[in-house]
Amino acid sequence: MSEASAAVTSLLPGWARGELAATCSWADDERRRYPWSGALHFADTPGDCQFFYGRDCHNMKGEKDMCVVGGINNYTAALTNSSAPLVDPTISLMFLAHFVGDVHQPLHRVWDLDIIEKAMKDFYNDDLSIMTHVIMQNITEAWSEEEREWEACSSRTKTCADK
């Protein structure tokens, strides 16, 4: 185990059982406990799909460094600076792990809404029942040959997908 891996593992809470991935949703689960962290889960841009830290990294009150990139910067600094003011390194690590996942959040809205609607329109004539039927058919027929590969992947720390 590398020195960095050992350091990360030593910071994990017991309930994570040595797996950083187990902590990645923690920051969402604890939003009510840390309400100030809400702005750290995303970064809004004015519609031009370009992020500029000085322009875009602030919360609704205009406070600077309050966006997902600011959160990543803050918690990275807290973890790499042993003289950082009373910051719990375990909490810093869990926030950092979560925000690294959140940094792509602007894509979630597109993925969660627009891509599904576009696929229904372009490929299934806006008919959810047809789209559902095709997906079910792929699962039971076209993709079913991959079942053994999926079952063989028991790793909790890496993906086994090769496509």
Side-chain angles (χ1 to χ4, degrees), residues 5-30:
S5 293
V8 166
T9 300
S10 74
L11 292 176
L12 294 173
W15 53 263
R17 297 184 180 170
E19 296 286 340
L20 180 61
T23 70
C24 287
S25 64
W26 172 87
D28 279 339
D29 297 337
E30 295 292 328

Side-chain angles (χ1 to χ4, degrees), residues 29 35 46 66 70-72 81 128 132 141 149 155 161:
D29 297 337
M66 294 297 288
I72 290 170
N81 181 358
L128 179 61
T132 302
E141 293 174 17
E149 292 175 48
S155 174

Side-chain angles (χ1 to χ4, degrees), residues 2 18 43 51 67 85 104 124 146 155 160:
S2 75
F51 175 79
C67 73
H104 70 283
Y124 306 107
E146 299 175 23
S155 174
C160 297

Side-chain angles (χ1 to χ4, degrees), residues 117-157:
E117 290 173 357
K118 183 170 175 29
M120 278 185 48
K121 178 180 172 238
D122 293 351
F123 305 115
Y124 306 107
N125 199 30
D126 277 330
D127 189 327
L128 179 61
S129 66
I130 294 172
M131 186 171 95
T132 302
H133 173 76
V134 170
I135 292 171
M136 294 301 293
Q137 190 174 9
N138 280 332
I139 289 171
T140 58
E141 293 174 17
W143 301 331
S144 66
E145 296 298 316
E146 299 175 23
E147 182 181 356
R148 285 190 182 95
E149 292 175 48
W150 300 341
E151 290 174 344
C153 182
S154 61
S155 174
R156 292 188 57 201
T157 59

